[in-house]
């Protein structure tokens, strides 16, 4: 007969093994694809671009694998009735996960160094992963619907990642070197993070275990009351919805539409705050202005990552299967046993599948336009600030960018948002992502094997052929999706013609703004990119119908 701590260990390492393996693969999907694509070329680990890639990929791998451990462990609240003290309960739920996360980061870094000669440090990020896991336990152990939860529990997590960035340079400067050596002071700092995180998590779980509410800061409630009062005074709250489609669009927008603009606003606030802090520390103003300008310009590409994450949330939130109580913690939400299928509330709405898809796509378009407008406004503000200096320190687009980049910052997030949301809306998200992950991993392994046995020219030819075949596959899948949607009466002939004109317009724009030295294989990729832009018009109603009428 196992004891309770042994049962917890057994459940995490065995019963939840598929969650751990799945999120491990998902976290390494993008880095493996990027390094596999770059493997035919000579890579210098000390190159600043590879250093930035390491700092971008490390949090992705860490957070994804941590999500797998959380899902494997399940909600902590289900163990509240067990005859075990809160200190032991938190310890056996916390420290094994930190140990497993540290081992995963160490093995991953060693593997990338072995396969790609990436030069990733091993021990520093591994020790940080264990400490960050302990600090993150506070964030997932507090009630999820109070502003105090995010402000009080999220602050240590943000500070820890700021401290990690300082190991590669300073707190408020660009990364300059790898974290190659771990000093005793750094080990003591991480140990203090672990101790404080454990004490704070025990206090939060003790409060939640006794059923006590965490005191709210009241700011969010004040904003909601003010908005409702303004809407009532303007008469908006008194107007009934004209059609079920308007009601559904209002529901989609209020639940999901503001997520991406809020994420962009938070990113702008953090970037501006770091810039002001660096000015306050006495760094050169012209250099900081150049870094701010280039950082904001590069941040336009980050909109696609944000949009993809929000698109996945849109699909998950549209299932609406579970009734969540007010005091549920974020750990409970992450580990809850939800179904992928659409719930009764949405499936029985008096709304056709094309109208349902229209609401989703209109919400996505409005959210993207607002988020993109916020980014463009901030970018234009940085240009105005640069124009006020004498001489002008930066051009409108640096040499490594072009005029093609600006429309790409709008079309890229649209593709990521709508296509990922469509996959999530299908109700078969896990299966589709599984086969997609297997395909990408197989491609990465194939590129690694090709690198070992053939010449550089042959590697480039294989890469070009694979890109050509992938592009043609995407174009063919788009044509089949539009044909299927038309036969199922989910898309009219007029809508198909509009999508075709949009497709041709994107192709013409891409060819007009293309770089001068564009290779031949890029033209099929332009066709595939344009097809991905219009594919949601056919696949979204198909996915909703597939999920709604099982």
């Amino acid at each position: 007969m196992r004891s309770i701590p042994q049962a917890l260990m057994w459940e995490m390492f065995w019963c939840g093994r598929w969650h751990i393996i799945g999120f491990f693969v998902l976290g390494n999907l993008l880095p493996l694809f990027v390094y596999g694509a770059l493997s035919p070329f000579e890579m210098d680990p000390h190159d600043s671009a590879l250093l930035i890639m390491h700092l971008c990929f490390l949090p992705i791998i860490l957070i994804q694998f941590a999500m797998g451990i959380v899902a494997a462990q399940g909600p902590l609240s289900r163990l509240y009735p067990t005859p075990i003290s809160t200190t032991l309960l938190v310890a056996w739920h916390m420290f094994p996960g930190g140990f497993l996360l540290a081992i995963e980061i160490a093995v991953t870094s060693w593997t990338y160094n072995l396969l790609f000669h990436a030069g990733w440090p091993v021990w520093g990020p591994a020790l940080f992963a264990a400490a960050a896991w302990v600090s993150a336990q506070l964030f997932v152990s507090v009630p999820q619907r109070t502003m105090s939860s995010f402000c009080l529990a999220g602050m240590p997590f943000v500070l820890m990642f700021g401290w990690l960035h300082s190991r590669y340079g300073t707190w408020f400067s660009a990364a300059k070197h790898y974290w190659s050596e771990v000093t005793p002071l750094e080990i003591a700092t991480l140990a203090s993070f672990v101790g404080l995180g454990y004490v704070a998590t025990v206090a939060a779980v003790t409060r939640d275990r006794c059923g006590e509410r965490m005191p709210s800061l009241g700011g969010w409630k004040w904003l909601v009351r003010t908005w409702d009062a303004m809407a009532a005074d303007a008469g908006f709250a008194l107007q009934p919805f004209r059609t079920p489609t308007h009601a559904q669009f209002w529901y989609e927008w209020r639940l999901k539409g503001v997520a991406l603009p809020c994420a962009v606003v938070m990113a702008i606030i953090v970037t501006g705050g770091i810039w002001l802090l660096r000015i306050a520390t006495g760094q050169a103003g012209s250099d900081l202005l150049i870094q701010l300008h280039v950082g904001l310009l590069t941040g336009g590409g980050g909109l696609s990552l944000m949009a993809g994450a929000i698109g996945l949330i849109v699909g998950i939130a549209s299932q609406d299967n579970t009734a969540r109580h007010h005091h549920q913690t974020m750990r409970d939400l992450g580990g809850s046993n939800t179904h992928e299928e659409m719930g009764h509330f949405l499936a029985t709405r008096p709304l056709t599948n094309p109208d349902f898809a229209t609401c989703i796509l209109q919400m996505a378009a409005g959210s993207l336009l607002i988020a993109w407008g916020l980014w463009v406004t901030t970018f234009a503000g940085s240009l105005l600030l640069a124009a006020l200096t004498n001489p002008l320190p930066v051009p409108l687009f640096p040499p490594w960018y072009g005029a093609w980049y600006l429309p790409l910052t709008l079309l890229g997030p649209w593709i990521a948002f709508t296509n990922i949301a469509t996959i999530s809306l299908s109700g078969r998200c896990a299966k589709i992502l599984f086969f997609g992950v297997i395909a990408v991993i197989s491609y990465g392994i194939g590129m690694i094997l090709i690198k070992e046995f053939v010449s550089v020219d042959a590697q480039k030819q294989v890469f070009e052929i694979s890109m050509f075949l992938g592009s043609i596959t995407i174009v063919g899948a788009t044509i089949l999706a539009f044909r299927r949607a038309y036969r199922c009466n989910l898309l009219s002939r007029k809508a198909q013609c509009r999508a075709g004109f949009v497709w041709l317009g994107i192709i013409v724009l891409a060819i007009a703004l293309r770089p001068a030295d564009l290779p031949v294989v890029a033209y099929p990729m332009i066709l595939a990119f344009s097809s991905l832009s219009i594919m949601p018009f056919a696949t979204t109603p198909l996915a909703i119908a597939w999920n709604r009428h099982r």
Side-chain angles (χ1 to χ4, degrees):
M1 182 66 182
R2 295 188 179 90
S3 63
I4 294 176
Q6 290 176 336
L8 292 176
M9 289 283 292
W10 172 259
E11 180 182 19
M12 184 182 71
F13 285 105
W14 178 250
C15 298
R17 63 189 183 279
W18 294 115
H19 291 93
I20 295 176
I21 294 173
F23 278 93
F24 169 76
V25 172
L26 187 62
N28 285 275
L29 180 63
L30 181 60
L32 183 63
F33 178 79
V34 172
Y35 278 100
L38 293 176
S39 59
F41 308 96
E42 294 294 333
M43 295 186 297
D44 183 9
H46 300 286
D47 189 358
S48 59
L50 292 179
L51 177 59
I52 295 174
M53 286 172 55
H54 164 66
L55 287 176
C56 292
F57 289 145
L58 179 61
I60 294 175
I61 297 172
L62 192 153
I63 293 174
Q64 287 286 348
F65 193 71
M67 291 172 61
I69 298 176
V70 170
Q73 289 179 326
L76 188 63
S77 58
R78 64 188 174 85
L79 301 175
Y80 286 171
T82 56
I84 186 174
S85 64
T86 304
T87 55
L88 286 177
L89 181 64
V90 173
W92 282 97
H93 218 76
M94 174 183 292
F95 295 116
F99 176 77
L100 187 62
L101 188 61
I103 294 297
E104 186 268 343
I105 293 297
V107 171
T108 300
S109 300
W110 178 81
T111 304
Y112 281 118
N113 293 338
L114 178 65
L115 296 177
F116 307 109
H117 307 287
W120 285 22
V122 177
W123 296 112
L127 295 175
F128 170 80
W133 166 263
V134 173
S135 298
Q137 296 307 293
L138 176 62
F139 185 74
V140 298
S141 300
V142 294
Q144 49 90 14
R145 293 190 181 182
T146 59
M147 183 171 287
S148 57
S149 302
F150 293 96
C151 295
L152 299 179
M155 189 177 299
F157 198 59
V158 174
L159 290 176
M160 283 208 64
F161 273 96
W163 182 85
L164 174 65
H165 183 271
S166 68
R167 301 304 92 195
Y168 292 83
T170 61
W171 277 84
F172 306 111
S173 66
K176 301 177 181 178
H177 54 78
Y178 287 96
W179 186 12
S180 57
E181 297 182 359
V182 182
T183 63
L185 180 60
E186 292 170 343
I187 295 177
T189 303
L190 292 174
S192 64
F193 284 152
V194 171
L196 293 175
Y198 174 71
V199 172
T201 305
V202 169
V205 173
T206 301
R207 176 186 290 272
D208 188 57
R209 197 175 187 184
C210 297
E212 298 179 7
R213 293 191 61 179
M214 177 173 285
S216 177
L217 298 180
W220 181 256
K221 293 181 179 179
W222 178 81
L223 290 175
V224 173
R225 288 196 302 267
T226 303
W227 175 260
D228 291 340
M230 293 173 59
D233 294 338
F236 296 144
L238 302 178
Q239 296 179 0
F241 296 110
R242 297 189 298 273
T243 62
T245 304
H246 289 85
Q248 184 65 30
F249 175 77
W250 174 87
Y251 172 78
E252 296 290 339
W253 178 259
R254 180 149 185 170
L255 184 65
K256 316 158 194 173
V258 297
L260 184 59
C262 287
V264 172
V265 169
M266 290 299 297
I268 292 173
I269 292 175
V270 171
T271 303
I274 293 175
W275 183 67
L276 293 176
L277 286 173
R278 293 176 66 181
I279 290 179
T281 56
Q283 300 186 33
S286 59
D287 295 338
L288 289 179
L289 191 58
I290 294 175
Q291 294 178 9
L292 176 65
H293 175 79
V294 176
L296 289 174
L297 192 61
T298 307
L303 287 175
S304 298
L305 296 177
M306 290 186 183
I310 299 300
L312 183 63
I313 295 174
V314 165
I316 294 175
S318 296
Q319 312 310 329
D320 195 39
N321 274 286
T322 57
R324 297 168 177 172
H325 55 82
H326 182 79
H327 304 291
Q328 198 169 21
T329 64
M330 282 171 278
R331 187 200 302 271
D332 298 328
L333 296 181
S336 57
N337 185 22
T338 58
H339 301 283
E340 290 186 342
E341 293 82 6
M342 186 178 295
H344 305 298
F345 176 74
L346 293 177
T348 58
R349 300 298 299 272
L351 200 69
T352 63
N353 294 322
D355 290 340
F356 201 158
T358 300
C359 294
I360 296 289
L361 295 177
Q362 286 180 350
M363 180 273 298
S367 181
L368 285 173
L369 287 175
I370 294 175
W372 187 75
L374 290 171
W375 172 76
V376 168
T377 302
T378 307
F379 178 66
S382 70
L383 287 178
L384 179 61
L385 189 62
L388 296 177
T389 61
N390 191 19
L392 186 67
V394 289
L396 177 61
F397 288 102
W400 54 90
Y401 292 103
W404 52 267
Y405 183 72
L406 194 60
L408 186 64
T409 57
L410 182 60
L411 290 176
W414 167 261
I415 292 174
F417 192 114
T418 54
N419 285 282
I420 293 180
T422 298
I423 293 174
S424 187
L425 284 167
S426 66
R428 281 82 175 174
C429 181
K431 296 179 181 179
I432 296 175
L433 289 179
F434 174 77
F435 288 109
V437 167
I438 293 298
V440 174
I441 290 179
S442 301
Y443 177 79
I445 295 175
M447 294 300 297
I448 295 172
L449 295 176
I450 290 173
K451 178 183 177 182
E452 298 295 332
F453 297 104
V454 300
S455 63
V456 176
D457 293 336
Q459 294 175 40
K460 293 181 179 179
Q461 291 179 0
V462 171
F463 177 75
E464 292 178 355
I465 292 173
S466 63
M467 291 295 102
F468 175 79
L469 294 177
S471 301
I472 297 301
T473 302
I474 292 175
V475 174
T478 303
I479 296 174
L480 292 177
F482 272 88
R483 183 180 178 183
R484 179 66 177 175
Y486 176 73
R487 288 187 173 184
C488 295
N489 295 324
L490 299 175
L491 196 66
S492 64
R493 181 67 68 180
K494 186 176 181 181
Q496 285 186 328
C497 294
R498 291 177 179 175
F501 283 119
V502 172
W503 183 70
L504 291 175
I506 295 174
I507 293 175
V508 172
L509 180 64
I511 294 177
L513 300 179
R514 72 188 188 281
D517 54 347
L518 197 66
V520 178
V521 71
Y523 290 95
M525 296 177 66
I526 290 176
L527 297 178
F529 183 84
S530 304
S531 300
L532 288 174
S533 301
I534 65 169
M535 183 182 287
F537 295 109
T539 55
T540 302
L542 285 172
I544 292 175
W546 194 15
N547 192 1
R548 195 177 186 185
H549 309 291
R550 295 181 299 276

